[in-house]
Amino acid sequence: MADQQLPTPVEWLDSRLGVLRSGAKKDGSGGLRKVYPEHWSYLLGEVALYSFVILILTGIFLTFWFKPSMGEVEYQGSYGLLKGLHMSEAYASTLAISFDIRGGLLVRQIHHWAAVLFIASMMVHLLRTFFTGAFRKPRELNWLIGFGTLFLGIIEGFIGYGLPDDLLSGTGLRITNGMIQASPVIGTYLNFFIFGGEFPGDTFVPRFFTVHVLLLPGLLLALITAHLFLIVYHKHTQWAGPGRTERNVVGYPFFPDYVAKAGGFFFVNFGVTALMGALIQINPVWLYGPYNPAEVTAGSQPDWYMGWLEGSVRIMPGFESHFWGITLSWNLLIPALIIPPAFVTLVALYPFIEGWIIGDKREHHLLDRPRDVPTRTGIGVAFITFYALLWIGGGNDLVATHFGLSLNSVTWFLRFAVILGPILAFWITRRWAISLQRADRERLLHGLETGVIVRSPEGKYTEKHQRISKYEAYSLTAREQVLPHEPGAGTDDNGVRAPRQALNRLRARLSRFYFADAVQKPTTQELEAAHAHDADEIHDLTEDTETYREVTSDKRVASE
């Protein structure tokens, strides 16, 4: 199998999964002695993993006491302000966990804080992966797996948020119910499938409970396992530095070094989460009361990771259309059913879009510095700005009341800012990254300012510069110079029109935009010429010529 030429789709899949061609070493090395690099940013993924473990452990405890039933009971528990009130068994059991089960409130709050940390750490981990280019070949599938894990984690969190059947969570579910019903044609059928009938109905809590404790945790566990398997198979990405190449990993072995550090960090993570659960109140459901469709809590806010979706609904102008007896509510259809799926799809497919634009089909195991890829960094900040503005829109009422502003003024500002803000953020970020590239080039060519002024025999005053170390020079130059894609000739030698010319021209324009104004690293000749005027600055260069030439290689790689 190793010597056979596989079909292109099979070869593409195998190069990323290693199903057919094993990457095991013949000498038996690997496994417990597999090397992992060290960097603080790698802990973000570990926080997500350990938070998931905490969720499983605390969720098992809560499952013993929670009653997933909509049956009506009269509350006779310890919380006096609700005593005698009629409520669902789900809400009553949540109150019992909080006030009558020893350690129940602590475990409940640890579970909720772990869910918040799980989603937050996955988001930041995904951003780290994006800005450093860790999603490039052969890790595109791992990007999709990670993004799918985040997406399922958000759904899992939202479903868990709705299980207590309190007034706040019921208000959020009512909004979700309206968004689902806004779907053309299938909205009513989809609503009946999810809630088991008219909302709120009598079966949605048992349904949500089954999905929350069985279906989604199983899917998350499978995705996390696949994610970790691919990390081991592809080897971990690492930052550029002395001795680090695309063909090796510099770090510490899995056992005993990494195992000891990971084990200690898990207990630190668990301890911090437990401390938050003990000292910081979250989701006090007893203050909201049981859900009643005729009531809405003042200042209702969803969990933070759903705020951007609610914000898109809040700032959307209210208008609808009628076609052949069918009403289309654009104020829900666009912000809830068009913009979020389009945004999510664009982010999920970005590795494939960027790879097609720049034509880069090589494997990458060294990470990019964000400043070295200005356009990608600008796109990432534009995404963050878009998300943040919608997130602010989800709390536009609180922004207005806390800052003494008009609610209408805040809403109208966000309607324009959500369009203009990402564009402005992209432009500023890209120009900022290019400026940092120019500063790096200046450091490479002329070194650091020393503040020492020297007068030449001709009377000219100049400042001496101290050349940076070759280790820093390595980090600043460990990147390749990639040329924009060129569409090529429109016809061949026989005058036959080349296929897909329009697509190639589009790709060339996007490629030129992607690399616009990017500062290329200096060549070896430019470095030697810049250092030649000061003998004190070039003695290292003459001693380590071959090493320095390798470090500052100006090999240019044309896009395929």
Side-chain angles (χ1 to χ4, degrees):
M1 177 65 71
D3 298 328
Q4 288 183 333
Q5 181 64 35
L6 299 173
T8 300
V10 179
E11 178 69 31
W12 185 93
L13 190 64
D14 185 57
S15 66
R16 285 143 175 93
L17 297 179
V19 176
L20 302 178
R21 295 175 177 171
S22 175
K25 298 179 181 179
K26 295 181 180 179
D27 60 2
S29 62
L32 294 179
R33 300 299 296 172
K34 186 175 180 64
V35 174
Y36 289 86
E38 270 203 329
H39 194 268
W40 66 266
S41 63
Y42 302 149
L43 296 179
L44 298 171
E46 294 186 39
V47 171
L49 176 62
Y50 302 149
S51 297
F52 180 73
V53 175
I54 296 171
L55 284 169
I56 296 296
L57 296 177
T58 54
I60 292 174
F61 176 89
L62 296 174
T63 303
F64 289 131
W65 310 105
F66 181 74
K67 295 181 181 179
S69 170
M70 291 292 290
E72 185 175 312
V73 297
E74 182 179 334
Y75 180 68
Q76 295 296 333
S78 301
Y79 190 66
L81 295 179
L82 295 178
K83 189 166 292 187
L85 195 66
H86 288 266
M87 59 186 64
S88 67
E89 286 190 279
Y91 186 63
S93 64
T94 304
L95 294 176
I97 292 173
S98 302
F99 296 109
D100 300 318
I101 305 301
R102 181 169 296 180
L105 180 59
L106 175 63
V107 175
R108 234 193 95 233
Q109 298 211 143
I110 291 175
H111 188 76
H112 204 133
W113 278 118
V116 171
L117 290 176
F118 179 56
I119 297 174
S121 57
M122 281 196 295
M123 282 189 176
V124 181
H125 179 60
L126 198 73
L127 290 175
R128 198 277 302 178
T129 301
F130 179 87
F131 285 116
T132 60
F135 56 78
R136 294 172 295 173
K137 181 182 178 181
R139 296 177 179 83
E140 303 98 327
L141 289 181
N142 222 5
W143 168 270
L144 292 177
I145 290 174
F147 193 78
T149 304
L150 173 61
F151 185 73
L152 289 181
I154 291 175
I155 296 177
E156 172 79 337
F158 180 73
I159 291 177
Y161 160 85
L163 284 178
D165 194 36
D166 59 286
L167 186 56
L168 180 62
S169 66
T171 301
L173 290 175
R174 166 61 83 182
I175 296 172
T176 305
N177 168 255
M179 293 180 182
I180 294 172
Q181 289 185 324
S183 304
V185 183
I186 64 171
T188 304
Y189 301 98
L190 192 61
N191 184 72
F192 268 69
F193 174 76
I194 294 175
F195 293 101
E198 291 287 348
F199 180 83
D202 298 325
T203 60
F204 85 89
V205 168
R207 289 188 177 207
F208 279 24
F209 181 77
T210 303
V211 173
H212 184 72
V213 303
L214 289 177
L215 178 61
L216 291 182
L219 293 175
L220 285 169
L221 183 60
L223 289 177
I224 291 173
T225 303
H227 184 75
L228 295 176
F229 168 78
L230 289 179
I231 289 177
V232 173
Y233 174 72
H234 292 310
K235 75 185 181 185
H236 207 293
T237 55
Q238 59 184 345
W239 293 93
R244 299 171 184 173
T245 68
E246 297 281 7
R247 297 179 297 277
N248 70 355
V249 177
V250 178
Y252 296 91
F254 178 76
F255 184 84
D257 300 66
Y258 187 78
V259 170
K261 292 179 180 179
F265 189 64
F266 168 74
F267 287 109
V268 170
N269 197 77
F270 205 147
V272 171
T273 307
L275 194 63
M276 294 171 64
L279 301 179
I280 307 175
Q281 180 175 270
I282 187 171
N283 197 25
V285 294
W286 53 90
L287 297 181
Y288 310 134
Y291 178 64
N292 185 339
E295 300 174 356
V296 176
T297 57
S300 298
Q301 302 293 322
D303 273 350
W304 66 271
Y305 46 83
M306 298 299 296
W308 74 286
L309 182 59
E310 178 161 335
S312 66
V313 175
R314 288 193 183 193
I315 68 175
M316 186 69 185
F319 63 99
E320 58 186 29
S321 301
H322 304 275
F323 300 100
W324 304 290
I326 298 175
T327 300
L328 295 179
S329 300
W330 298 107
N331 56 321
L332 280 177
L333 189 62
I334 293 177
L337 302 177
I338 295 179
I339 293 180
F343 178 72
V344 169
T345 302
L346 181 61
V347 175
L349 297 182
Y350 182 84
F352 305 94
I353 297 172
E354 180 184 290
W356 176 75
I357 290 174
I358 67 178
D360 188 0
K361 298 181 180 179
R362 296 160 295 135
E363 289 194 2
H364 295 275
H365 302 288
L366 290 179
L367 299 172
D368 289 330
R369 295 190 310 161
R371 69 181 64 180
D372 291 336
V373 194
T375 300
R376 180 203 296 156
T377 303
I379 292 173
V381 174
F383 283 162
I384 294 174
T385 304
F386 179 75
Y387 178 92
L389 288 170
L390 291 181
W391 193 43
I392 295 173
N396 59 351
D397 54 338
L398 296 181
V399 172
T401 55
H402 279 68
F403 294 96
L405 303 173
S406 166
L407 177 60
N408 287 334
S409 299
V410 174
T411 302
W412 274 103
F413 170 79
L414 290 172
R415 286 173 180 172
F416 287 97
V418 78
I419 298 174
L420 301 178
I423 298 174
L424 184 61
F426 169 80
W427 182 81
I428 292 175
T429 303
R430 188 165 74 161
R431 299 311 307 175
W432 194 352
I434 291 172
S435 298
L436 291 173
Q437 284 186 321
R438 289 172 179 159
D440 287 344
R441 182 181 175 88
E442 186 69 18
R443 288 165 64 88
L444 282 166
L445 291 175
H446 304 293
L448 302 173
E449 297 179 355
T450 63
V452 178
I453 306 299
V454 179
R455 181 181 180 184
S456 66
E458 296 81 14
K460 180 180 179 181
Y461 290 93
T462 57
E463 181 182 14
K464 288 194 64 175
H465 286 71
Q466 179 183 355
R467 185 175 151 202
I468 61 176
S469 68
K470 66 179 181 180
Y471 299 104
E472 185 178 359
Y474 190 102
S475 300
L476 294 179
T477 56
R479 59 188 177 98
E480 295 167 336
Q481 301 178 0
V482 184
L483 295 174
H485 172 73
E486 296 297 336
T491 58
D492 59 16
D493 296 337
N494 298 320
V496 179
R497 178 183 174 84
R500 298 190 295 273
Q501 272 300 297
L503 191 62
N504 282 332
R505 286 194 296 270
L506 173 63
R507 179 184 172 191
R509 285 195 292 268
L510 292 175
S511 182
R512 285 193 294 269
F513 170 78
Y514 190 89
F515 295 109
D517 300 326
V519 179
Q520 301 288 3
K521 65 180 181 180
T523 64
T524 303
Q525 293 75 18
E526 289 174 328
L527 283 165
E528 291 176 347
H531 296 158
H533 70 279
D534 192 336
D536 293 334
E537 295 176 354
I538 65 171
H539 72 279
D540 286 336
L541 181 63
T542 57
E543 292 175 2
D544 302 305
T545 303
E546 293 303 322
T547 301
Y548 203 72
R549 283 181 180 275
E550 181 181 354
V551 168
T552 59
S553 172
D554 60 339
K555 178 176 63 176
R556 301 174 69 85
V557 182
S559 59
E560 299 179 15

